[in-house]
Amino acid sequence: MITLFHCMSARSFRPLWTLEELGLPYELRMLPFPPRAHGRDYLSINPLGTVPALFDDEVAMTESAAMCQYLCSRAGPTPLDVQPGHPEYGNFLNWLHYGEATLTFPQTIVLRYGRFEPAERLLPQAAQDYRRWFLARLKALVPALSLRPYLCGDALTAADISVGYALMLADYLQLTSEFPAGVQAYWARLQEGAGYQRALAAQLHAARKQGVSETPAPLVLPV
Ligand SMILES: N[C@@H](CCC(=O)N[C@@H](CS)C(=O)NCC(=O)O)C(=O)O
């Protein structure tokens, strides 16, 4: 059985969304955000204190984009995956990693130095620079989406889930009005997907059932 440790709308939303798209059975364990402050017991499960953590028998993982790829391989063949030898394979891997390394990481600087740190440690210049850095990196999506609805063609893949979470986070940071038009349309399309909607419902249901705050992690105030 797959167990996923998750905080509301944190990066662990990527594997949650993938699980819902694939229809795999899983157990969703909700944690208050940040777990290192509010869920100290979690450190014995994942010493990093970060979400996601995913367990599947002997397998233990802590990287959200890698989990999407793992889950596709485990459940496949699936249209969510692109296999070696397929003409889109390199493109698929590139976007899968672009979603986390290039599009999510700069937003964590915006959050941390624009919002989470105590007032005397805030760095408005860093927050502003990385906000612009993120918006500039979004431009790469425009040609990729100009002729096709998804990053690797006509069907949603795990690469869209990886990039889609970065757009979800940017939505919480109120950056959507600055998305290029093609990216705005893409983000709207992703949100209409049935798997995305099921993942939203699953996290809300689990949070209520497990008595965990429904506040999305990016909006949680610092401790
Ligand atoms: N590269 C990792 C990053 C994991 C990560 O930093 N997760 C954040 C939530 S989005 C976290 O757990 N932060 C809490 C902390 O750092 O204490 C991934 O993609 O899963």
Side-chain angles (χ1 to χ4, degrees):
M1 175 62 117
I2 294 166
T3 304
L4 176 64
F5 287 85
H6 174 52
C7 293
M8 285 297 278
S9 299
R11 285 173 174 95
S12 36
F13 194 81
R14 286 192 181 109
L16 175 59
W17 183 355
T18 307
L19 284 162
E20 285 295 337
E21 292 286 351
L22 293 170
L24 281 173
Y26 66 94
E27 182 190 0
L28 189 59
R29 300 273 294 272
M30 301 298 297
L31 294 163
F33 189 82
R36 80 187 130 71
H38 299 299
R40 301 286 300 170
D41 293 352
Y42 179 60
L43 292 174
S44 63
I45 295 167
N46 174 13
L48 297 174
T50 53
V51 289
L54 182 141
F55 299 90
D56 183 17
D57 291 330
E58 299 303 306
V59 173
M61 301 179 73
T62 58
E63 283 294 329
S64 59
M67 288 173 198
C68 298
Q69 189 175 3
Y70 171 80
L71 292 169
C72 286
S73 308
R74 188 187 184 283
T78 160
L80 273 195
D81 198 10
V82 178
Q83 294 285 326
H86 190 284
E88 294 290 339
Y89 181 60
N91 202 25
F92 170 74
L93 289 181
N94 203 61
W95 288 121
L96 186 70
H97 292 277
Y98 198 87
E100 172 60 15
T102 296
L103 293 180
T104 304
F105 189 73
Q107 295 190 73
T108 65
I109 307 279
V110 177
L111 265 175
R112 177 165 184 177
Y113 291 106
R115 205 184 282 185
F116 283 173
E117 286 287 334
E120 68 278 9
R121 283 183 49 86
L122 290 177
L123 296 171
Q125 187 67 60
Q128 191 184 330
D129 287 352
Y130 278 87
R131 181 175 167 283
R132 289 178 53 201
W133 198 91
F134 162 74
L135 290 167
R137 296 306 185 275
L138 276 187
K139 288 179 192 154
L141 294 172
V142 176
L145 294 166
S146 63
L147 298 175
R148 318 189 297 185
Y150 298 104
L151 292 168
C152 298
D154 291 330
L156 181 93
T157 69
D160 298 292
I161 292 178
S162 179
V163 169
Y165 176 72
L167 301 180
M168 183 188 197
L169 178 57
D171 204 335
Y172 284 119
L173 298 184
Q174 300 182 314
L175 295 174
T176 43
S177 63
E178 293 174 73
F179 287 3
V183 177
Q184 283 189 10
Y186 171 62
W187 173 224
R189 193 176 312 129
L190 291 178
Q191 290 174 87
E192 284 164 9
Y196 175 85
Q197 292 293 334
R198 283 198 303 276
L200 282 180
Q203 66 169 2
L204 191 59
H205 176 77
R208 288 180 179 161
K209 204 168 164 199
Q210 296 172 35
V212 169
S213 167
E214 294 170 26
T215 306
L219 302 183
V220 170
L221 288 173
V223 280

